[in-house]
Amino acid sequence: MARTIPVLEIFGPTIQGEGMVIGQKTMFVRTAGCDYRCRWCDSAFTWDGSAKDEIEQLTADEIWRRLEAIGGRRFRHVTISGGNPLLIAALGELIALLHEKGMRVAVETQGSRWQDWLLDIDDVTLSPKPPSSGMDTDWAALDQIIERLQADQSRVRRISLKVVVFDDADLAYAKEVHCRYPSVPFYLQAGNADVADSDVDALRAKLFSRLEWLVEQAADSEELADVHILPQLHTLLWGNKRGV
Amino acid sequence: MARTIPVLEIFGPTIQGEGMVIGQKTMFVRTAGCDYRCRWCDSAFTWDGSAKDEIEQLTADEIWRRLEAIGGRRFRHVTISGGNPLLIAALGELIALLHEKGMRVAVETQGSRWQDWLLDIDDVTLSPKPPSSGMDTDWAALDQIIERLQADQSRVRRISLKVVVFDDADLAYAKEVHCRYPSVPFYLQAGNADVADSDVDALRAKLFSRLEWLVEQAADSEELADVHILPQLHTLLWGNKRGV
Ligand code: SF4
Ligand code: SF4
């Protein structure tokens, strides 16, 4: 029998708002559950119980049918997001099916857990969490994930590291990550401290001032000579709304 | 004797605001001169005579020394922008020197002219101009540029097509470009109709509403199933200011 996947949202086509895949037209499949509890998590409903009743247990096949029903033939890229998708072994079946259908597949994870299907992902974003999250980084786990991805040459994939930065301690952490893995393309992301704010204009002004600060910090840094600095595009566009 | 390059601005480190290289920390070298006269050109000072007295004729060596003087060791990426840099054969010397120094080099051009040094560029953005620009596309020239770049396997490079979209006619043109070159990663960019507006808040609101429109158009399109949709990040951040 086909295994099921705990799904909270399926939506799109829309654009990727973050990191290496920013701007990419994509569908989103959001899975439930996370092994972290980041202070500023913008998807806390995936793990805090508040959306418990919305979780559906779906097979890979059922997820594909939903994607087709809402996205038609208007997409070639699917993003699996969470929560932490790496908690879910059964996603391997979905990824295989998506590839059969001609899709490219992106995943974002904090890099705390391994699944063999990670080797099959086209766009891997590893986003270890900085001090402001309240979480501790499991460096051994992250080392091993990056080693395994880099050792496997069986397919073309793009991998990147992304660190969200709210303050100076986060920036120091970002430098530590970048120096530890200098060969992995590195993205700094301006943090959104107002995940509950619903005034889009005020939110935009704040986000741009944080981004400007982050660009200045990176501009002045030799350690951060070769990085990308980006905002969360979807938050700038749509604020803290879900499902866009 | 070393040939000279007509230069209008050298600045950075800052971030790339557009297309495939969005967010990349980079230095900018802006060359003078363009074979086009786009209606909404945001760098008209490179060709309309208004900044004629600011043009300096610099050798590759002199440009590198300026880059180092202002960027120190805080950059690994240089963007050559214009105007149309493809008018300037002598840039080949600068590109060779930048590579010697360990830099990656990006160029953006409308794709109307060829130089052999284009084969040496790491990040090539071809941005043919849509009807709203008032310019006609030389399809034969663009065909040949893309063929030559794709035929040459001597180095790893990234190439992309980018079309700025202001209206429905531009969107139809974008689809034509994407269908003509389906194997080249394709970027749609929301146009900035207010290149003289200096009220950043008003400009941001307008740009986001244009981006939202463009995302909706692309979301609904089968022909645009696999594209990126992006704003001009530097304009959102800093408005129509020069040199940031
Ligand atoms: S790892 Fe991601 S989903 Fe999990 S708590 Fe942190 S921000 Fe939220
Ligand atoms: S091709 Fe570029 S620089 Fe030349 S006129 Fe058009 S927008 Fe301006």
Side-chain angles (χ1 to χ4, degrees), chain A residues 79-132:
Chain A
T79 302
I80 302 172
S81 88
N84 184 6
L86 272 287
L87 298 177
I88 305 167
L91 279 172
E93 287 147 45
L94 177 62
I95 295 155
L97 181 60
L98 291 172
H99 280 151
E100 246 177 70
K101 303 291 183 185
M103 301 291 134
R104 297 197 312 288
V105 185
V107 158
E108 178 170 332
T109 175
Q110 64 265 46
S112 56
R113 303 287 179 92
W114 177 260
Q115 297 282 348
D116 286 336
W117 55 250
L118 196 57
L119 293 173
D120 301 324
I121 299 296
D122 303 281
D123 299 319
V124 180
T125 297
L126 301 167
S127 57
K129 301 305 172 190
S132 64

Side-chain angles (χ1 to χ4, degrees), chain A residues 13 15 22-25 74 76 104 204 208 212 218-221 224-230 236-238, chain B residues 13 15 22-25 74 76 104 204 208 212 218-221 224-230 236-238:
Chain A
I15 55 169
I22 193 166
Q24 169 75 51
K25 186 177 173 186
R74 303 189 309 280
R76 297 276 184 288
R104 297 197 312 288
R204 281 178 186 166
F208 277 119
E212 202 162 358
D220 282 348
S221 165
L224 300 174
D226 190 11
V227 299
H228 289 73
I229 306 123
L230 286 171
L236 285 169
L237 262 170
W238 296 298
Chain B
I15 56 171
I22 194 166
Q24 169 75 52
K25 186 178 174 184
R74 304 190 307 280
R76 297 276 185 288
R104 296 196 312 288
R204 281 177 186 166
F208 278 119
E212 202 161 357
D220 283 347
S221 166
L224 300 173
D226 190 11
V227 299
H228 288 74
I229 306 122
L230 286 171
L236 285 170
L237 261 170
W238 296 299

Side-chain angles (χ1 to χ4, degrees), chain A:
Chain A
M1 232 188 73
R3 290 182 296 177
T4 60
I5 295 156
V7 172
L8 254 169
E9 295 182 304
I10 296 177
F11 62 95
T14 183
I15 55 169
Q16 255 287 354
E18 303 185 7
M20 174 179 72
V21 278
I22 193 166
Q24 169 75 51
K25 186 177 173 186
T26 193
M27 299 290 295
F28 278 90
V29 176
R30 192 187 294 282
T31 60
C34 193
D35 46 323
Y36 275 25
R37 300 285 180 265
C38 298
R39 228 170 255 150
W40 35 251
C41 178
D42 59 4
S43 325
F45 65 95
T46 62
W47 52 262
D48 67 7
S50 62
K52 207 174 53 198
D53 301 339
E54 299 170 44
I55 299 172
E56 294 185 86
Q57 293 288 340
L58 302 174
T59 64
D61 224 63
E62 287 167 332
I63 293 171
W64 174 249
R65 270 182 274 138
R66 297 264 184 109
L67 286 168
E68 259 197 320
I70 57 173
R73 301 171 158 278
R74 303 189 309 280
F75 65 99
R76 297 276 184 288
H77 190 275
V78 176
T79 302
I80 302 172
S81 88
N84 184 6
L86 272 287
L87 298 177
I88 305 167
L91 279 172
E93 287 147 45
L94 177 62
I95 295 155
L97 181 60
L98 291 172
H99 280 151
E100 246 177 70
K101 303 291 183 185
M103 301 291 134
R104 297 197 312 288
V105 185
V107 158
E108 178 170 332
T109 175
Q110 64 265 46
S112 56
R113 303 287 179 92
W114 177 260
Q115 297 282 348
D116 286 336
W117 55 250
L118 196 57
L119 293 173
D120 301 324
I121 299 296
D122 303 281
D123 299 319
V124 180
T125 297
L126 301 167
S127 57
K129 301 305 172 190
S132 64
S133 70
M135 299 292 115
D136 290 322
T137 302
D138 181 343
W139 293 104
L142 189 58
D143 285 353
Q144 220 180 48
I145 290 171
I146 291 175
E147 263 167 46
R148 284 184 174 187
L149 287 169
Q150 291 191 324
D152 178 87
Q153 304 286 326
S154 66
R155 62 179 289 129
V156 177
R157 74 172 69 81
R158 297 191 304 162
I159 91 163
S160 67
L161 280 158
K162 190 184 75 181
V163 174
V164 178
V165 174
F166 286 86
D167 54 29
D168 291 330
D170 290 356
L171 192 67
Y173 174 88
K175 290 177 183 173
E176 190 183 347
V177 173
H178 182 44
C179 293
R180 192 176 181 106
Y181 312 106
S183 65
V184 181
F186 191 75
Y187 289 74
L188 292 164
Q189 180 172 300
N192 170 17
D194 300 283
V195 292
D197 199 328
S198 57
D199 174 348
V200 174
D201 283 334
L203 185 62
R204 281 178 186 166
K206 270 186 271 184
L207 292 173
F208 277 119
S209 88
R210 295 313 294 161
L211 179 59
E212 202 162 358
W213 172 80
L214 190 56
V215 171
E216 281 164 19
Q217 300 304 307
D220 282 348
S221 165
E222 288 187 13
E223 288 158 284
L224 300 174
D226 190 11
V227 299
H228 289 73
I229 306 123
L230 286 171
Q232 284 182 306
L233 191 50
H234 56 287
T235 311
L236 285 169
L237 262 170
W238 296 298
N240 289 309
K241 254 195 299 186
R242 265 177 63 181
V244 281

